[in-house]
Amino acid sequence: MRHRYARKTDLPAIMTIIHQAKARMKAQHIDQWQDGYPNEESIFNDIAHKQGYVFIIKDEIVAYAAIVFEHDPYYDKIDGQWLTDMPYVVVHRIAVHDRHTHQGIAKQILNTAEKLANKKDVQSFRIDTHQANHFMRNLIRQHGFTLCGIVQVRDGRRMAYEINLQSRHNESCQA
């Protein structure tokens, strides 16, 4: 699987994937993304700011995610405590096409974000998810994130996680 910045021309494929992800969450009784967000405007904003990425298998866009290296104001207040106060990367809006779920693509998206962070010498990785999103919570834990607390985002409270990539790198170098 390869990845690249999303383009305006990718918007129809991305929105198909986003709508599929919304439907899966609704079927699982997760109220995340059930209020019209993310919409074309939010994805277009990701693209305009070079934060939107598409993930491609055999010339087909199979997933989308926003990988953001800017400060996230939602993370300023946490009911809990972050592991670090370093600059961080955040992944938002992970969505995988229905035909490609349960193939490890979301894990590869997290790996890609971590590699991009390492290239930029960003040593912290943060992410949040809905409490009822058990698939994402399991993925986040398996990736080595630590639950730090709860943040209030646009449409509700989310479980907030972080990895100190500097410590993670030091541990792997000592192994």
Side-chain angles (χ1 to χ4, degrees):
M1 182 172 73
R2 62 187 171 90
H3 68 276
R4 63 168 168 75
Y5 285 121
R7 304 175 186 136
K8 292 177 195 174
T9 56
D10 298 328
L11 200 54
I14 293 167
M15 292 314 299
T16 295
I17 292 167
I18 294 288
H19 292 306
Q20 290 173 348
K22 287 179 181 186
R24 282 195 306 273
M25 283 191 255
K26 184 175 185 174
Q28 296 168 6
H29 307 289
I30 302 170
D31 66 0
Q32 185 176 6
W33 290 10
Q34 299 305 304
D35 64 351
Y37 173 90
N39 54 26
E40 285 190 10
E41 182 181 342
S42 56
I43 302 303
F44 184 78
N45 188 51
D46 291 343
I47 293 169
H49 288 94
K50 296 277 190 206
Q51 297 171 339
Y53 288 81
V54 291
F55 295 82
I56 301 164
I57 297 175
K58 296 181 182 176
D59 297 324
E60 178 189 3
I61 295 174
V62 299
Y64 174 81
I67 302 175
V68 182
F69 286 92
E70 296 174 1
H71 168 261
D72 188 325
Y74 289 128
Y75 289 1
D76 288 346
K77 287 187 177 181
I78 183 169
D79 182 5
Q81 185 172 348
W82 293 111
L83 300 176
T84 74
D85 61 357
M86 298 184 280
Y88 51 87
V89 61
V90 179
V91 176
H92 290 303
R93 295 175 286 288
I94 294 175
V96 177
H97 195 286
D98 281 350
R99 286 192 310 269
H100 297 278
T101 59
H102 307 294
Q103 295 177 10
I105 291 173
K107 179 179 180 178
Q108 290 181 54
I109 291 169
L110 296 181
N111 289 338
T112 297
E114 191 168 332
K115 287 174 187 172
L116 292 171
N118 286 332
K119 285 181 183 178
K120 292 179 177 264
D121 201 29
V122 171
Q123 299 175 350
S124 174
F125 187 171
R126 294 181 181 176
I127 197 165
D128 66 84
T129 195
H130 194 284
Q131 183 175 356
N133 193 338
H134 298 290
F135 172 81
M136 186 56 81
R137 287 177 55 198
N138 287 335
L139 174 68
I140 289 168
R141 279 194 298 269
Q142 289 171 5
H143 197 75
F145 283 90
T146 299
L147 177 61
C148 295
I150 305 292
V151 293
Q152 179 69 38
V153 298
R154 181 193 57 77
D155 66 340
R157 297 168 51 85
R158 298 289 183 264
M159 301 178 79
Y161 299 81
E162 183 176 19
I163 294 175
N164 180 334
L165 296 174
Q166 183 178 30
S167 296
R168 186 175 171 117
H169 178 74
N170 290 342
E171 289 172 9
S172 66
C173 288
Q174 295 171 1

